[in-house]
């Protein structure tokens, strides 16, 4: 079978590999769609800190069941999506349902080879039916689930003001699912095209450009009180540290992005606000299900999120073009 291998930073190579064989408890899947995200681009650039080369990328996946046990709830031909965070099920986090932060987690396309291949065999508990949506939509569930999880962590209340810092795909996912909670959404970003997308597609109330006077504008639109909840989705340490300035007294700061760095803040500012600081990592099966139901009910504009597409054969030539911000990629899909 074809497998696209990232040998090292900047080098993608198609390789012929043996088809996997499903062992007990596994499902054999024909991969059909792969969503491309910032993690894949970091791997290609050589800036993904939690990975060893060579690696088959790809963790936003949908496909069709090829083989499953007779006792399985899955049958041959079923369309499926995959939860790529392979958790152990027995650690301190898994025992309380926090499989997203499993101490032994193995993420497809990062810690182990992922879905840029024709077939995968995976434990059945990470494979879910995608009835009622397209394979394209099913490949977009994962990144949206990260946003849905962050929103669930924040326990938003209707009428609150929230700020999303960073309008990339994860920030878009946060805006979308926060908006469904009936809150007042503002976004802060440096890219005008992303801000325009937030205005036109996600219907955020305010889209503010990073730069001189941005804090004053944020203060003005919040009656000088700032925001009940601030989500950081930048992956930039300076933005993460600055974001605390925008949290209202008694508010919550949710760090959705991650950097391999030390995060610090002024303790007097943190204490006088009695700030709640939350990390938000990956997503759980519950969050995937929230996204699936939102898609089925037409609440997710997937046709507008999916801005670019190519095939597995052409991906190596296409990826460098997509990494240029001028390409305007929101979510790209690879067909297998």
């Amino acid at each position: 079978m074809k497998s696209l291998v990232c040998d090292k930073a900047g080098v993608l190579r198609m390789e012929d590999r043996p088809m996997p064989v499903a062992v007990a408890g596994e499902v054999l899947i024909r991969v059909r769609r792969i969503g491309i995200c910032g993690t894949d681009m970091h791997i290609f650039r050589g800036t993904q800190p939690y990975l060893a080369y060579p690696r088959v990328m790809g963790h936003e996946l949908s496909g069709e069941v090829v083989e499953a046990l007779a006792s399985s709830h899955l049958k041959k031909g079923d369309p499926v999506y995959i939860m790529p965070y392979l958790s152990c099920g027995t650690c301190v986090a898994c025992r309380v349902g926090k499989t997203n932060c499993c101490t032994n987690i193995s993420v497809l396309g990062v810690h182990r080879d992922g879905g840029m291949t024709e077939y995968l065999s995976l434990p059945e508990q990470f494979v879910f039916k995608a009835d009622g949506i397209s394979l394209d939509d099913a490949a977009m569930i994962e990144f949206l689930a990260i946003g849905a999880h962050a929103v669930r962590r924040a326990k938003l209340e209707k009428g609150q003001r929230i700020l999303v810092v960073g309008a990339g795909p994860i920030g878009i996912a946060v805006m979308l699912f926060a908006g469904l909670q009936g809150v007042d959404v503002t976004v802060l970003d440096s890219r005008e095209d992303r801000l325009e997308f937030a205005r036109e597609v996600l219907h955020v109330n305010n889209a503010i450009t990073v730069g001189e006077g941005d804090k004053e504008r944020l203060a003005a639109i919040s009656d000088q009180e700032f925001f009940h909840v601030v989500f950081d989705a930048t992956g930039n340490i300076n933005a993460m540290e600055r974001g605390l300035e925008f949290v209202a007294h008694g508010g919550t700061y949710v760090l959705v992005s991650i950097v391999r760095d030390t995060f610090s803040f002024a303790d007097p500012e943190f204490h006088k606000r009695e700030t709640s600081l939350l990390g938000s990592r990956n997503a759980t099966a519950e969050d995937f299900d929230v996204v699936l139901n939102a898609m089925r009910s037409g609440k997710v504009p997937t046709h507008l999120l999916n801005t670019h597409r190519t095939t597995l054969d052409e991906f190596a030539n296409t990826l460098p073009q997509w990494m240029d911000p001028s390409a305007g990629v929101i979510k790209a899909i690879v067909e297998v």
Side-chain angles (χ1 to χ4, degrees), residues 90-111:
T90 59
C91 74
V92 62
C94 288
R95 292 198 305 270
V96 294
K98 293 181 175 289
T99 57
N100 57 307
C101 50
C102 169
T103 61
N104 304 301
I105 201 164
S106 181
V107 179
L108 293 176
V110 180
H111 305 116

Side-chain angles (χ1 to χ4, degrees), residues 240-251:
M240 292 168 72
E241 292 182 340
R242 187 186 184 216
L244 184 62
E245 299 176 16
F246 309 136
V247 181
H249 282 238

Side-chain angles (χ1 to χ4, degrees), residues 46-198:
T47 55
Q48 216 294 339
Y50 305 106
L51 173 136
Y53 297 94
R55 179 64 71 228
V56 176
M57 302 185 296
H59 62 276
E60 301 180 8
L61 308 171
S62 67
E64 298 164 350
V65 173
V66 175
E67 180 184 324
L69 293 174
S71 59
S72 173
H73 69 287
L74 298 167
K75 305 300 178 188
K76 184 176 180 179
D78 281 348
V80 293
Y81 66 87
I82 293 165
M83 191 166 75
Y85 327 120
L86 308 189
S87 51
C88 71
T90 59
C91 74
V92 62
C94 288
R95 292 198 305 270
V96 294
K98 293 181 175 289
T99 57
N100 57 307
C101 50
C102 169
T103 61
N104 304 301
I105 201 164
S106 181
V107 179
L108 293 176
V110 180
H111 305 116
R112 58 182 282 177
D113 282 348
M116 285 199 177
T117 187
E118 292 182 295
Y119 294 90
L120 278 176
S121 186
L122 295 171
E124 182 178 347
Q125 64 264 37
F126 303 109
V127 183
F128 300 83
K129 286 186 180 181
D131 294 339
I133 62 172
S134 69
L135 288 173
D136 282 358
D137 289 359
M140 289 189 274
I141 292 178
E142 190 269 346
F143 91 91
L144 292 166
I146 292 173
H149 181 75
V151 167
R152 182 161 65 93
R153 288 275 286 151
K155 298 179 180 177
L156 300 182
E157 298 178 11
K158 191 172 183 178
Q160 285 184 322
R161 292 186 304 269
I162 74 133
L163 172 66
V164 179
V165 185
I170 300 302
I172 286 170
V174 173
M175 285 182 260
L176 198 159
F177 284 94
L180 294 178
Q181 297 293 314
V183 299
D184 181 338
V185 181
T186 294
V187 59
L188 178 68
D189 198 272
S190 60
R191 284 180 54 175
E192 292 298 331
D193 61 326
R194 292 281 173 86
L195 293 174
E196 185 65 19
F197 186 91

Side-chain angles (χ1 to χ4, degrees), residues 9 31 47 95 124 158 200 229-230 303 306:
V31 178
T47 55
R95 292 198 305 270
E124 182 178 347
K158 191 172 183 178
E200 298 299 320
V229 182
V230 176
H303 63 293
N306 176 204

